[in-house]
Amino acid sequence: DIQMTQSPSSLSASVGDRVTITCRASQSINRYLNWYQQKPGKAPKLLIYAASSLESGVPSRFSGSGYGTDFTLTISSLQPEDFATFYCQQSYSNPRTFGQGTKVEIK
Amino acid sequence: QVQLQESGPGLVKPSETLSLTCTVSGDSISAYYWSWIRQPPGKGLEWIGNMYYSGSTNYNPSLKSRVTMSLDTSKSQISLRLSSVTAADTAVYYCARDGSWRGYYTFDYWGQGTLVTVSS
């Protein structure tokens, strides 16, 4: 199985801050990397696919980058509705695997 | 608009079989793979497996011996059966569509999830 490791596991930030979350794969996954946002009691929501493509309807303050084993999710200016847990997920091979999550909290 | 709705018992006894159904509306069930994903309370996400309308399945090796998925195109339903459950199988179970863009697969539509508790 491909292991996905996110860092940090949690972070505190203020509205307007630039936030970066990293995700590392245990082997190269090309660009087969997706990012999801999950709010309490809700299903995850797709934000970014193929490492850097923005899902339709997702605000442009979200962006993704990376290739191979190292990836980042950036929120350019954190908004109140962005406080949530974020997960990376690889679709390079089965079983599909997720990172452990990064919880973004209000400072 | 694509909608997915999970249904099934919220409580299952240890050693018994968990059975859930996902009903899809707003899209053809025959055009995609469909996945089951679970999330234990307060923890991360685990992919259980997926199924295509042709009958092709892919299961997570960690659960493969206990998982069966099936699909009923006439009812637009995908089913999950997980046998010999223990407390470790307590989780919110989601069904999701395996969307694809130029060969890049995503979980682009999700059900709201259903909590299944394993307890006597």
Side-chain angles (χ1 to χ4, degrees):
Chain A
D1 298 6
I2 298 175
Q3 305 302 316
M4 307 299 294
T5 304
Q6 289 180 231
S7 62
S9 295
S10 64
L11 64 91
S12 295
S14 300
V15 172
D17 284 353
R18 182 181 182 88
V19 170
T20 298
I21 299 168
T22 64
C23 178
R24 175 164 289 176
S26 60
Q27 66 181 73
S28 177
I29 58 171
N30 194 299
R31 298 178 61 84
Y32 291 86
L33 190 284
N34 306 314
W35 289 97
Y36 301 85
Q37 177 191 52
Q38 186 179 33
K39 297 182 179 180
K42 300 295 186 181
K45 172 189 173 184
L46 177 66
L47 298 177
I48 301 284
Y49 61 95
S52 61
S53 295
L54 194 67
E55 174 71 345
S56 177
V58 174
S60 59
R61 63 180 179 273
F62 291 94
S63 64
S65 64
Y67 181 89
T69 61
D70 295 312
F71 301 88
T72 60
L73 172 70
T74 300
I75 309 172
S76 60
S77 178
L78 197 65
Q79 297 301 299
E81 61 268 30
D82 299 338
F83 292 94
T85 300
F86 295 85
Y87 293 93
C88 61
Q89 175 251 325
Q90 64 83 17
S91 60
Y92 181 81
S93 67
N94 290 329
R96 316 278 181 84
T97 47
F98 293 84
Q100 80 280 14
T102 296
K103 187 174 184 178
V104 176
E105 298 176 300
I106 302 172
K107 182 181 286 184
Chain B
Q1 183 177 352
V2 181
Q3 292 187 314
L4 294 80
Q5 176 77 50
E6 303 91 347
S7 60
L11 181 64
V12 180
K13 290 182 168 57
S15 80
E16 295 190 345
T17 295
L18 177 160
S19 295
L20 296 174
T21 298
C22 174
T23 302
V24 179
S25 59
D27 199 1
S28 170
I29 200 172
S30 301
Y32 297 93
Y33 275 89
W34 301 88
S35 279
W36 287 96
I37 297 159
R38 70 179 183 177
Q39 185 172 37
K43 297 188 178 180
L45 298 158
E46 180 181 33
W47 181 72
I48 299 170
N50 66 7
M51 182 166 193
Y52 196 54
Y53 80 99
S54 63
S56 171
T57 56
N58 298 287
Y59 297 147
N60 192 320
S62 67
L63 298 167
K64 186 174 184 177
S65 64
R66 299 193 292 130
V67 172
T68 304
M69 293 183 185
S70 60
L71 191 149
D72 186 335
T73 54
S74 66
K75 295 181 179 179
S76 290
Q77 291 180 336
I78 309 101
S79 296
L80 170 71
R81 289 172 58 86
L82 182 66
S83 64
S84 305
V85 298
T86 69
D89 296 309
T90 294
V92 175
Y93 286 76
Y94 296 99
C95 58
R97 190 181 82 169
D98 280 39
S100 175
W101 177 80
R102 298 183 181 179
Y104 291 94
Y105 284 94
T106 69
F107 303 123
D108 58 355
Y109 288 94
W110 296 65
Q112 86 282 2
T114 187
L115 174 63
V116 179
T117 301
V118 178
S119 174
S120 56

